[in-house]
Amino acid sequence: MTSLHDQNSVTSASASPASVARGVLSLPYSNVDDVFVDGAWTPAVGTGRNPVTDPATGEVWGSVPDGSVEDVDAAVASARRAFAGEWPRLTPTERAGYLLRIADEVEKRATEISLTNTRENGSPVSESSGAAANAASILRYFASLADYLEHEDVRAFPRGGGESIVRRDPVGVCALIAPWNFPINLVVIKLAPALLAGCTVVIKPASPTPLSIRLIIDAVAAAGVPAGVVNLITGSGRLGDMLVRHPDVDKVAFTGSTPVGRRIAAASGELLRPVTLELGGKSSAIVLPDADLGAMSSVLIRSCMRNTGQTCYISTRILAPASRYDEVVDMVTATIAAGPQGDPLDPATVFGPTATESQFRTVLDYVESGRAEGARPTTGGRAAGLAGGLERGFFVEPTVFADVEPWMRISREEIFGPVLSVLKYADVDEAIALANNTEFGLGGVVFSGDESAAFAVADRMDTGSVGINFFASNHAAPFGGRHDSGLGTEYGIEGLNAYLIYKSIHRRG
């Protein structure tokens, strides 16, 4: 369990604040040699190692096995044996009981989950501290759908003379491949419906964030889930490729970048294998002329720069009416500039580092492209020079660009970092056209004092989810992208249906 040691044992006159903050942590996992297969932590066959780096300090603090084809085969075989066993034959209510126990066990590990998550990807603890509660809520929501699965679905022939009993069966062994930005919840949103449906799974976390998910596996084991139902392998992206193409995998669920999603979709199409893809976004916040900018300011970071801009659905393009453009730019600039950037272990920090050195360089490249193409940075616009042990961290100053044109790269492409663009529109029709003039279609927000007017605008936006004066996910409502933002949905009954296959049994009436 996480605890605080005697600070005198880990500090010295020369210790930096960042090293002191890390020195007092006692996390359950750092350097590990095993994977979770057939209900037990088992030494990995692969001899390679994948380092785990703290993006706030640039220091390697952990490592995990870089799994081999033998590790993948063992995990999939374990899941296949479990699928042939009792798990899919339990009633949905019985499986829901396991989900409820997992939820309780996850909450017991909330502090360890938060701090491990923060050390892996730099999410501020103000963000990661909610990961366990949100994961538990997802598990409990899907447990509540047991009655849906148990309800007998009988459909009469339209012309009479017979009826069909529609069976909903689990699809089988599922490969769950998660990203690094929200490593806990983006696994659990796949794991919970898969388990309720009666599937068995192999989880492959992103290579930068392999340790926090071990705490979810610990919760699964503590809840008494039968051996082989849930398996975990770690390693580089090549393991994900192996899983996608493995002959004993029946379904793939992936969250990540659009280019990787395209490759997974191509492989799944070739194999006629069902796939759920939650991919990138370049969403817009439309500010209508009557918007309350004070109220907008209070939700701006959550809606448009959550998790230091490393959130798929956030509205990183702000579309402002020409009549209030300068006013909107000033508000957005002041709000972003006022957000403290610093050590993500500090509860006061709003903006942490980018999650990896590669992402750090990508974001800075976009910032430079914005300058080169004529956009005007109103705050930020460079690498952040932080002190106190954070000098080698992957920090980019939270940045706002004004005078952004629709053709600029920062307006068209997903940056996945702390960069906002403010564009100008003449009327509502142009605002909607700008919002829809993108290859993506994942999120969006409409800010207005008139909810009916905002709803009408939201209805015309070509995207999977839109918030009115805020943005939040609802576990009971489908979440998914259009166009280059993905295939299929997660959350809601629709997210559960993604793990089912159907059989119609016909009989005469």
Side-chain angles (χ1 to χ4, degrees):
M1 303 295 287
T2 299
S3 62
L4 299 181
H5 297 307
D6 179 358
Q7 187 164 318
N8 292 329
S9 68
V10 294
T11 62
S12 68
S14 61
S16 69
S19 65
V20 170
R22 284 149 184 78
V24 299
L25 300 179
S26 179
L27 299 178
Y29 295 116
S30 56
N31 294 288
V32 299
D33 299 307
D34 46 16
V35 293
F36 193 78
V37 174
D38 204 22
W41 292 109
T42 305
V45 176
T47 59
R49 306 292 297 170
N50 270 18
V52 180
T53 301
D54 185 334
T57 64
E59 297 171 348
V60 173
W61 67 279
S63 64
V64 298
D66 187 6
S68 65
V69 64
E70 291 85 0
D71 293 310
V72 173
D73 285 345
V76 174
S78 170
R80 178 59 62 193
R81 287 192 299 272
F83 188 69
E86 65 173 325
W87 183 254
R89 291 157 185 82
L90 298 177
T91 67
T93 294
E94 288 171 328
R95 292 194 294 268
Y98 283 100
L99 265 63
L100 295 175
R101 290 194 289 277
I102 297 170
D104 292 342
E105 294 293 339
V106 167
E107 287 185 321
K108 292 176 184 178
R109 295 161 173 79
T111 299
E112 294 85 352
I113 287 171
S114 171
L115 295 176
T116 304
N117 183 167
T118 292
R119 289 218 68 190
E120 288 178 315
N121 72 359
S123 288
V125 291
S126 58
E127 174 71 59
S128 67
S129 61
N134 191 46
S137 177
I138 292 168
L139 287 155
R140 291 179 181 128
Y141 166 72
F142 280 102
S144 76
L145 298 183
D147 285 346
Y148 164 74
L149 291 181
E150 291 176 350
H151 175 72
E152 188 172 56
D153 186 353
V154 181
R155 307 183 192 183
F157 282 31
R159 294 185 178 181
E163 62 185 11
S164 301
I165 297 87
V166 179
R167 296 295 193 206
R168 293 179 288 260
D169 296 326
V171 69
V173 174
C174 301
L176 311 183
I177 305 174
W180 46 254
N181 58 329
F182 291 96
I184 299 301
N185 293 321
L186 292 176
V187 164
V188 172
I189 196 53
K190 300 165 179 56
L191 178 65
L195 293 185
L196 184 69
C199 298
T200 59
V201 307
V202 179
I203 298 170
K204 162 61 175 73
S207 55
T209 52
L211 293 173
S212 54
I213 195 62
R214 290 173 69 97
L215 292 154
I216 301 300
I217 300 297
D218 286 345
V220 167
V225 174
V229 171
V230 178
N231 304 272
L232 173 73
I233 56 172
T234 59
S236 60
R238 65 187 177 79
L239 268 71
D241 295 337
M242 292 180 201
L243 276 174
V244 168
R245 291 188 169 274
H246 199 286
D248 273 339
V249 166
D250 299 303
K251 176 188 167 61
V252 175
F254 169 80
T255 299
S257 72
T258 296
V260 175
R262 287 187 189 280
R263 293 198 295 271
I264 292 174
S268 298
E270 177 186 334
L271 296 166
L272 296 178
R273 182 167 295 167
V275 61
T276 301
L277 302 172
E278 199 269 280
L279 306 177
K282 191 67 178 178
S283 304
S284 295
I286 297 179
V287 184
L288 294 183
D290 67 344
D292 180 338
L293 297 190
M296 179 179 169
S297 175
S298 68
V299 300
L300 179 74
I301 292 173
R302 184 75 171 178
S303 300
C304 301
M305 206 184 272
R306 183 181 179 185
N307 198 29
T308 317
Q310 298 168 122
T311 306
C312 55
Y313 60 69
I314 54 174
S315 295
T316 56
R317 300 191 304 174
I318 297 173
L319 311 184
S323 61
R324 302 186 70 185
Y325 184 78
D326 291 341
E327 188 182 356
V328 171
V329 168
D330 289 346
M331 181 277 289
V332 172
T333 301
T335 302
I336 297 303
Q341 182 172 40
D343 192 336
L345 290 175
D346 183 346
T349 293
V350 172
F351 299 117
T354 55
T356 67
E357 183 175 8
S358 169
Q359 192 61 25
F360 169 74
R361 298 189 185 286
T362 295
V363 174
L364 288 179
D365 178 67
Y366 275 110
V367 169
E368 289 309 308
S369 80
R371 293 179 188 274
E373 292 180 341
R376 172 171 57 93
T378 60
T379 187
R382 60 185 64 85
L386 302 184
L390 306 177
E391 292 85 354
R392 296 174 59 200
F394 311 138
F395 291 89
V396 176
E397 291 179 345
T399 300
V400 177
F401 278 106
D403 303 334
V404 178
E405 298 293 338
W407 53 267
M408 294 178 179
R409 284 184 65 207
I410 59 172
S411 177
R412 295 184 293 107
E413 299 177 15
E414 183 177 44
I415 299 173
F416 225 62
V419 181
L420 295 182
S421 297
V422 188
L423 290 79
K424 185 184 298 184
Y425 70 83
D427 56 33
V428 170
D429 287 341
E430 184 184 13
I432 294 167
L434 285 171
N436 292 342
N437 184 24
T438 171
E439 297 172 347
F440 299 102
L442 192 59
V445 188
V446 182
F447 290 101
S448 174
D450 183 339
E451 188 169 310
S452 296
F455 193 93
V457 170
D459 220 21
R460 296 174 62 189
M461 295 172 72
D462 185 15
T463 188
S465 297
V466 185
I468 295 176
N469 292 320
F470 82 116
F471 192 95
S473 296
N474 176 359
H475 298 161
F479 176 80
R482 300 181 179 184
H483 312 299
D484 285 3
S485 288
L487 295 171
T489 58
E490 296 185 315
Y491 295 97
I493 286 176
E494 295 82 359
L496 173 60
N497 288 340
Y499 294 88
L500 300 173
I501 53 176
Y502 298 89
K503 178 192 296 180
S504 295
I505 302 175
H506 312 299
R507 64 188 179 191
R508 295 196 180 278

